[in-house]
Amino acid sequence: MKRFMRPVLGTQFLCVIGLLTLPAHGVELKYESDDVSLGLTGYGTIGILEPDFERPDFVGDWRVRGAAAYKFADVNSIGAVYAIDAAAIDEDKFFREVFGYWQNNDFGRLEIGFTDSIARKLGVGLPDVGGLRVNDKPLFYKQITPDGPVISDTTLTTGRSAPRINIASVSINGAQYGLSVSGLAHHYDYATDIGIKIRQPSGKIKAAYAFGASFMSHPNEYRTDAYTPRVTADWRAQVSGGINVQYNSWMFGLTGRLIYDENPIGRVSDGLAAGAGVSYDILNYSVSLTYIFSDTGIWNRDVDDYMDHTAIASFRYKYNENIDLWISGGVTTETPFIAAGLRLSF
C-alpha cells in the first residue's frame, strides 16, 4: 500500500486545485447524441481526522468512473464501464469495476465483467452526509484500527475480484429483480446472488425496500470486508435487508446483514452488522446521524465474539452541485474522533 501513497496524494492535491478554480455553476463531463452517449463522473475528498482529538491524520478519498453506450433499435443499447477508486488502490487493484452490458428497455439489463453483485447493486445504504465513506469500507478505520474483526458494511457483497454475470429486470409494478453468478475465482469455486428492490416513489412518503441473499462454495483465504480476517470454509451464506424512507426533507434508513461460514478454519469472520440513520436537508445544508453495530463470531461457541459500536454525526454545506464542505464527529472502537474535509464531484 505504501508504494501507491505518492500518486494518490498527487491526485488529491489536483482535486484541491480544481476546487479552488471550479466555476460556481459547476461542470458537466458528458456527451450525448441520438445514438451515442459518453460520460465521466467522479469525486475527490481531502481532509483530516483526529482520533482522541489529539493527532491530526490525513484523510483522502477519490473515485473516477467512465461509461460509454450505443443505442440501437430504439429499445436496445450496449455499453461499457470502467471505474477506479482509492479503496481499490489500497488493495493493490487497478480497477473498481470493468464490465460490458446489454440493456433492453422492455426486459432489463445483462452485465458481464468485474463488478458488484446484483444483491449489492439493488441494496440500500444508510443516510450519511459526511465524507468518510460509511457505506463502503469506511475511511475512519484506516486511522483507528479496530481491536477485533469488524463487519462495517451492512449491505451484502461477494466482491469484485472475479468475472461475474449480472441479470436485472426492469421495474415491474415498482419491483426489480436480479440474479448474479460468479466463477473462475482464485478464492472460491463459485458464488451466486439474488436481489430484490421495491420502490414506492410517489406520494408524500417515498420508500425503497431491498433484500439480498448469496451462497459461496469453498471460500479459501477469501475476504471482501476490509476489517475481518480471511476465511476458509466449506461454504458461506449471507442475507441482507434494508429500507429507506423519505418524508419531505427527512431521510430514514435501516439496514442489516448476516454472514454464516460452515466449518471455518482459523479466525472467525462471520456474524452480523446492522445500522440505522437519519438525515435532514434544508437549502444548502444537511445533517445526519448514523449508527452501525457489528458482532463477529456469534455462531462459534469456542471463541468470544467481538462487538463494535460506531456512531457518527455529520454536517455538510453544499456550495454548488460540485463542491461540498463537510465535518463529522463520532466514536468507534471506543475511540472518539472528529474529521473535516472538502469534496469535489463532477
Side-chain angles (χ1 to χ4, degrees):
M1 180 176 120
K2 291 183 179 178
R3 56 187 174 141
F4 293 103
M5 189 63 71
R6 290 187 181 275
V8 171
L9 290 178
T11 302
Q12 292 153 349
F13 178 74
L14 292 176
C15 288
V16 175
I17 298 298
L19 287 168
L20 297 177
T21 59
L22 193 69
H25 56 75
V27 294
E28 194 171 31
L29 302 177
K30 69 177 182 179
Y31 166 80
E32 290 185 354
S33 67
D34 292 340
D35 301 324
V36 177
S37 65
L38 304 171
L40 186 67
T41 58
Y43 68 83
T45 297
I46 188 169
I48 61 170
L49 184 148
E50 292 194 18
D52 291 322
F53 310 110
E54 293 178 354
R55 62 187 190 284
D57 291 327
F58 173 80
V59 172
D61 188 30
W62 55 272
R63 178 178 295 172
V64 178
R65 186 179 192 269
Y70 173 73
K71 182 179 179 180
F72 62 97
D74 293 330
V75 296
N76 292 284
S77 60
I78 57 174
V81 173
Y82 175 82
I84 187 169
D85 63 6
I89 295 298
D90 286 345
E91 298 174 358
D92 290 350
K93 298 175 182 176
F94 295 95
F95 60 86
R96 183 183 191 273
E97 54 185 3
V98 52
F99 65 92
Y101 69 87
W102 167 70
Q103 183 167 308
N104 181 285
N105 295 340
D106 295 329
F107 297 100
R109 178 175 171 119
L110 170 69
E111 299 175 343
I112 301 177
F114 297 85
T115 186
D116 285 315
S117 67
I118 201 68
R120 185 172 183 85
K121 290 193 174 189
L122 294 181
V124 296
L126 295 170
D128 177 74
V129 303
L132 295 175
R133 206 168 61 201
V134 166
N135 290 297
D136 185 14
K137 299 178 181 176
L139 289 174
F140 43 78
Y141 279 125
K142 294 180 68 173
Q143 274 77 25
I144 306 172
T145 303
D147 296 330
V150 172
I151 304 169
S152 63
D153 197 326
T154 57
T155 306
L156 189 156
T157 177
T158 51
R160 300 182 294 264
S161 59
R164 182 182 303 279
I165 297 175
N166 284 338
I167 302 173
S169 72
V170 296
S171 180
I172 304 170
N173 296 324
Q176 191 173 12
Y177 308 89
L179 172 69
S180 177
V181 178
S182 176
L184 302 176
H186 293 294
H187 297 294
Y188 55 87
D189 292 343
Y190 67 88
T192 180
D193 301 51
I194 60 170
I196 302 171
K197 177 175 279 188
I198 301 172
R199 297 180 178 90
Q200 296 177 342
S202 59
K204 193 170 185 179
I205 299 178
K206 302 175 176 61
Y209 310 87
F211 171 80
S214 77
F215 175 84
M216 178 180 291
S217 175
H218 291 99
N220 182 20
E221 290 294 304
Y222 166 80
R223 181 176 66 186
T224 54
D225 298 272
Y227 317 110
T228 57
R230 296 184 179 275
V231 61
T232 297
D234 291 346
W235 49 265
R236 163 171 282 197
Q238 299 184 71
V239 294
S240 67
I243 177 175
N244 284 170
V245 176
Q246 181 180 351
Y247 175 74
N248 293 330
S249 296
W250 291 93
M251 174 69 76
F252 304 89
L254 289 172
T255 57
R257 176 185 176 196
L258 280 172
I259 306 174
Y260 175 79
D261 295 329
E262 178 69 9
N263 297 324
I265 299 174
R267 296 180 62 195
V268 296
S269 60
D270 56 3
L272 68 88
V278 59
S279 66
Y280 180 75
D281 296 327
I282 180 170
L283 299 176
N284 292 348
Y285 304 92
S286 301
V287 293
S288 69
L289 182 63
T290 307
Y291 169 75
I292 300 175
F293 170 71
S294 170
D295 194 350
T296 310
I298 59 176
W299 316 113
N300 195 318
R301 301 296 183 184
D302 297 329
V303 298
D304 294 332
D305 55 339
Y306 176 76
M307 291 183 287
D308 182 79
H309 303 268
T310 297
I312 302 172
S314 298
F315 169 82
R316 180 182 66 183
Y317 169 69
K318 196 171 185 66
Y319 174 69
N320 63 23
E321 63 181 16
N322 299 101
I323 301 177
D324 294 2
L325 295 169
W326 58 269
I327 183 170
S328 297
V331 58
T332 185
T333 320
E334 300 181 355
T335 302
F337 69 88
I338 188 169
L342 195 63
R343 174 184 170 109
L344 163 70
S345 60
F346 60 89

Short mmCIF file of all heavy atoms in Angstrom, two decimals, residues 174-205:
data_model
loop_
_atom_site.label_atom_id
_atom_site.label_comp_id
_atom_site.label_asym_id
_atom_site.label_seq_id
_atom_site.Cartn_x
_atom_site.Cartn_y
_atom_site.Cartn_z
N GLY A 174 -43.15 -1.49 -9.64
CA GLY A 174 -42.31 -0.95 -8.59
C GLY A 174 -41.26 -1.89 -8.06
O GLY A 174 -40.45 -1.49 -7.22
N ALA A 175 -41.22 -3.14 -8.52
CA ALA A 175 -40.25 -4.13 -8.03
C ALA A 175 -39.24 -4.47 -9.12
O ALA A 175 -39.60 -4.60 -10.29
CB ALA A 175 -40.97 -5.39 -7.57
N GLN A 176 -37.99 -4.62 -8.72
CA GLN A 176 -36.92 -5.00 -9.62
C GLN A 176 -36.22 -6.22 -9.06
O GLN A 176 -35.91 -6.30 -7.87
CB GLN A 176 -35.93 -3.85 -9.79
CG GLN A 176 -34.92 -4.05 -10.91
CD GLN A 176 -34.07 -2.81 -11.16
OE1 GLN A 176 -34.08 -1.88 -10.37
NE2 GLN A 176 -33.35 -2.80 -12.27
N TYR A 177 -35.94 -7.23 -9.93
CA TYR A 177 -35.37 -8.49 -9.51
C TYR A 177 -34.04 -8.71 -10.21
O TYR A 177 -33.83 -8.25 -11.34
CB TYR A 177 -36.32 -9.66 -9.85
CG TYR A 177 -37.72 -9.47 -9.35
CD1 TYR A 177 -38.68 -8.83 -10.13
CD2 TYR A 177 -38.10 -9.93 -8.09
CE1 TYR A 177 -39.98 -8.64 -9.68
CE2 TYR A 177 -39.39 -9.75 -7.62
CZ TYR A 177 -40.32 -9.12 -8.42
OH TYR A 177 -41.60 -8.94 -7.96
N GLY A 178 -33.12 -9.44 -9.55
CA GLY A 178 -31.83 -9.68 -10.16
C GLY A 178 -31.20 -10.98 -9.72
O GLY A 178 -31.49 -11.51 -8.65
N LEU A 179 -30.33 -11.51 -10.58
CA LEU A 179 -29.57 -12.73 -10.33
C LEU A 179 -28.12 -12.50 -10.73
O LEU A 179 -27.85 -11.84 -11.74
CB LEU A 179 -30.16 -13.90 -11.12
CG LEU A 179 -29.36 -15.22 -11.12
CD1 LEU A 179 -29.39 -15.85 -9.74
CD2 LEU A 179 -29.90 -16.18 -12.17
N SER A 180 -27.20 -13.04 -9.95
CA SER A 180 -25.77 -12.86 -10.20
C SER A 180 -25.06 -14.19 -10.02
O SER A 180 -25.33 -14.94 -9.08
CB SER A 180 -25.19 -11.82 -9.24
OG SER A 180 -23.80 -11.68 -9.41
N VAL A 181 -24.12 -14.50 -10.95
CA VAL A 181 -23.30 -15.71 -10.86
C VAL A 181 -21.85 -15.33 -11.11
O VAL A 181 -21.54 -14.62 -12.07
CB VAL A 181 -23.75 -16.79 -11.87
CG1 VAL A 181 -22.85 -18.01 -11.77
CG2 VAL A 181 -25.20 -17.18 -11.64
N SER A 182 -20.95 -15.80 -10.25
CA SER A 182 -19.53 -15.50 -10.38
C SER A 182 -18.72 -16.79 -10.26
O SER A 182 -19.04 -17.67 -9.46
CB SER A 182 -19.09 -14.51 -9.29
OG SER A 182 -17.70 -14.28 -9.34
N GLY A 183 -17.67 -16.91 -11.08
CA GLY A 183 -16.80 -18.08 -11.03
C GLY A 183 -15.41 -17.74 -11.52
O GLY A 183 -15.05 -16.58 -11.65
N LEU A 184 -14.61 -18.77 -11.80
CA LEU A 184 -13.22 -18.59 -12.24
C LEU A 184 -12.45 -17.72 -11.25
O LEU A 184 -11.63 -16.88 -11.62
CB LEU A 184 -13.16 -17.97 -13.63
CG LEU A 184 -13.89 -18.73 -14.76
CD1 LEU A 184 -13.83 -17.96 -16.06
CD2 LEU A 184 -13.30 -20.13 -14.94
N ALA A 185 -12.74 -17.93 -9.95
CA ALA A 185 -12.14 -17.10 -8.92
C ALA A 185 -10.97 -17.79 -8.25
O ALA A 185 -10.91 -19.03 -8.19
CB ALA A 185 -13.20 -16.75 -7.87
N HIS A 186 -10.03 -17.01 -7.72
CA HIS A 186 -8.88 -17.56 -7.00
C HIS A 186 -9.26 -18.02 -5.60
O HIS A 186 -8.65 -18.94 -5.06
CB HIS A 186 -7.76 -16.51 -6.90
CG HIS A 186 -7.14 -16.17 -8.22
ND1 HIS A 186 -6.41 -17.07 -8.96
CD2 HIS A 186 -7.17 -15.01 -8.93
CE1 HIS A 186 -5.98 -16.48 -10.07
NE2 HIS A 186 -6.42 -15.24 -10.08
N HIS A 187 -10.26 -17.38 -5.00
CA HIS A 187 -10.53 -17.61 -3.58
C HIS A 187 -11.87 -18.30 -3.31
O HIS A 187 -12.28 -18.37 -2.16
CB HIS A 187 -10.47 -16.28 -2.84
CG HIS A 187 -9.12 -15.64 -2.86
ND1 HIS A 187 -8.02 -16.20 -2.23
CD2 HIS A 187 -8.68 -14.51 -3.46
CE1 HIS A 187 -6.97 -15.42 -2.43
NE2 HIS A 187 -7.34 -14.40 -3.17
N TYR A 188 -12.55 -18.80 -4.32
CA TYR A 188 -13.75 -19.61 -4.11
C TYR A 188 -14.08 -20.33 -5.42
O TYR A 188 -13.59 -19.96 -6.50
CB TYR A 188 -14.93 -18.78 -3.62
CG TYR A 188 -15.32 -17.60 -4.48
CD1 TYR A 188 -16.19 -17.75 -5.56
CD2 TYR A 188 -14.84 -16.32 -4.21
CE1 TYR A 188 -16.57 -16.68 -6.35
CE2 TYR A 188 -15.21 -15.25 -4.98
CZ TYR A 188 -16.07 -15.43 -6.05
OH TYR A 188 -16.43 -14.36 -6.83
N ASP A 189 -14.93 -21.36 -5.31
CA ASP A 189 -15.32 -22.12 -6.50
C ASP A 189 -16.31 -21.33 -7.35
O ASP A 189 -16.11 -21.14 -8.54
CB ASP A 189 -15.93 -23.47 -6.11
CG ASP A 189 -14.91 -24.41 -5.48
OD1 ASP A 189 -13.71 -24.16 -5.65
OD2 ASP A 189 -15.33 -25.37 -4.81
N TYR A 190 -17.40 -20.91 -6.73
CA TYR A 190 -18.40 -20.09 -7.41
C TYR A 190 -19.24 -19.38 -6.36
O TYR A 190 -19.26 -19.77 -5.18
CB TYR A 190 -19.30 -20.93 -8.33
CG TYR A 190 -20.20 -21.89 -7.60
CD1 TYR A 190 -21.46 -21.49 -7.14
CD2 TYR A 190 -19.80 -23.20 -7.33
CE1 TYR A 190 -22.28 -22.37 -6.46
CE2 TYR A 190 -20.61 -24.08 -6.65
CZ TYR A 190 -21.86 -23.66 -6.22
OH TYR A 190 -22.67 -24.52 -5.53
N ALA A 191 -19.94 -18.34 -6.78
CA ALA A 191 -20.85 -17.61 -5.90
C ALA A 191 -22.07 -17.21 -6.70
O ALA A 191 -21.98 -16.85 -7.87
CB ALA A 191 -20.18 -16.37 -5.31
N THR A 192 -23.22 -17.29 -6.07
CA THR A 192 -24.47 -16.86 -6.71
C THR A 192 -25.25 -15.97 -5.75
O THR A 192 -25.26 -16.19 -4.54
CB THR A 192 -25.32 -18.07 -7.14
OG1 THR A 192 -26.52 -17.62 -7.76
CG2 THR A 192 -25.67 -18.95 -5.94
N ASP A 193 -25.84 -14.91 -6.29
CA ASP A 193 -26.57 -13.93 -5.50
C ASP A 193 -27.93 -13.66 -6.13
O ASP A 193 -28.09 -13.76 -7.35
CB ASP A 193 -25.83 -12.58 -5.45
CG ASP A 193 -24.44 -12.67 -4.87
OD1 ASP A 193 -23.66 -13.52 -5.32
OD2 ASP A 193 -24.13 -11.87 -3.98
N ILE A 194 -28.88 -13.29 -5.30
CA ILE A 194 -30.16 -12.78 -5.77
C ILE A 194 -30.44 -11.46 -5.06
O ILE A 194 -29.97 -11.23 -3.94
CB ILE A 194 -31.32 -13.76 -5.53
CG1 ILE A 194 -31.49 -14.05 -4.03
CG2 ILE A 194 -31.14 -15.03 -6.32
CD1 ILE A 194 -32.75 -14.82 -3.70
N GLY A 195 -31.18 -10.59 -5.72
CA GLY A 195 -31.51 -9.31 -5.12
C GLY A 195 -32.91 -8.86 -5.55
O GLY A 195 -33.35 -9.15 -6.67
N ILE A 196 -33.59 -8.17 -4.66
CA ILE A 196 -34.92 -7.62 -4.93
C ILE A 196 -34.97 -6.20 -4.34
O ILE A 196 -34.54 -5.99 -3.21
CB ILE A 196 -36.04 -8.47 -4.29
CG1 ILE A 196 -35.99 -9.91 -4.79
CG2 ILE A 196 -37.40 -7.86 -4.57
CD1 ILE A 196 -36.94 -10.83 -4.03
N LYS A 197 -35.48 -5.27 -5.12
CA LYS A 197 -35.72 -3.92 -4.61
C LYS A 197 -37.13 -3.50 -5.00
O LYS A 197 -37.54 -3.66 -6.15
CB LYS A 197 -34.71 -2.91 -5.16
CG LYS A 197 -34.98 -1.48 -4.70
CD LYS A 197 -33.91 -0.51 -5.16
CE LYS A 197 -32.70 -0.58 -4.27
NZ LYS A 197 -31.72 0.49 -4.59
N ILE A 198 -37.86 -2.97 -4.04
CA ILE A 198 -39.22 -2.49 -4.25
C ILE A 198 -39.25 -1.00 -3.94
O ILE A 198 -38.86 -0.58 -2.86
CB ILE A 198 -40.22 -3.24 -3.35
CG1 ILE A 198 -40.17 -4.74 -3.64
CG2 ILE A 198 -41.63 -2.72 -3.56
CD1 ILE A 198 -40.97 -5.57 -2.67
N ARG A 199 -39.70 -0.23 -4.91
CA ARG A 199 -39.72 1.23 -4.76
C ARG A 199 -41.17 1.73 -4.72
O ARG A 199 -42.02 1.25 -5.47
CB ARG A 199 -38.99 1.91 -5.91
CG ARG A 199 -37.50 1.60 -5.99
CD ARG A 199 -36.89 2.33 -7.16
NE ARG A 199 -35.45 2.11 -7.28
CZ ARG A 199 -34.91 1.13 -7.97
NH1 ARG A 199 -35.69 0.26 -8.61
NH2 ARG A 199 -33.59 1.01 -8.05
N GLN A 200 -41.37 2.72 -3.87
CA GLN A 200 -42.63 3.47 -3.83
C GLN A 200 -42.28 4.94 -3.99
O GLN A 200 -42.15 5.68 -3.01
CB GLN A 200 -43.36 3.21 -2.51
CG GLN A 200 -43.79 1.75 -2.33
CD GLN A 200 -44.45 1.50 -0.99
OE1 GLN A 200 -44.32 2.28 -0.05
NE2 GLN A 200 -45.16 0.39 -0.89
N PRO A 201 -42.08 5.40 -5.23
CA PRO A 201 -41.52 6.74 -5.45
C PRO A 201 -42.53 7.87 -5.44
O PRO A 201 -42.14 9.03 -5.54
CB PRO A 201 -40.90 6.59 -6.85
CG PRO A 201 -41.78 5.59 -7.53
CD PRO A 201 -42.25 4.63 -6.47
N SER A 202 -43.82 7.58 -5.37
CA SER A 202 -44.82 8.64 -5.44
C SER A 202 -45.48 8.83 -4.07
O SER A 202 -45.38 7.97 -3.18
CB SER A 202 -45.88 8.30 -6.49
OG SER A 202 -46.52 7.08 -6.18
N GLY A 203 -46.16 9.96 -3.92
CA GLY A 203 -46.81 10.26 -2.66
C GLY A 203 -45.94 11.10 -1.76
O GLY A 203 -44.77 11.38 -2.03
N LYS A 204 -46.49 11.52 -0.63
CA LYS A 204 -45.76 12.35 0.30
C LYS A 204 -44.63 11.59 0.98
O LYS A 204 -43.59 12.15 1.30
CB LYS A 204 -46.73 12.89 1.36
CG LYS A 204 -46.14 14.01 2.20
CD LYS A 204 -47.20 14.67 3.06
CE LYS A 204 -46.61 15.86 3.80
NZ LYS A 204 -47.63 16.55 4.63
N ILE A 205 -44.84 10.29 1.21
CA ILE A 205 -43.82 9.43 1.80
C ILE A 205 -43.30 8.49 0.72
O ILE A 205 -44.06 7.69 0.17
CB ILE A 205 -44.38 8.63 2.99
CG1 ILE A 205 -44.87 9.57 4.09
CG2 ILE A 205 -43.31 7.69 3.55
CD1 ILE A 205 -45.49 8.86 5.28
#
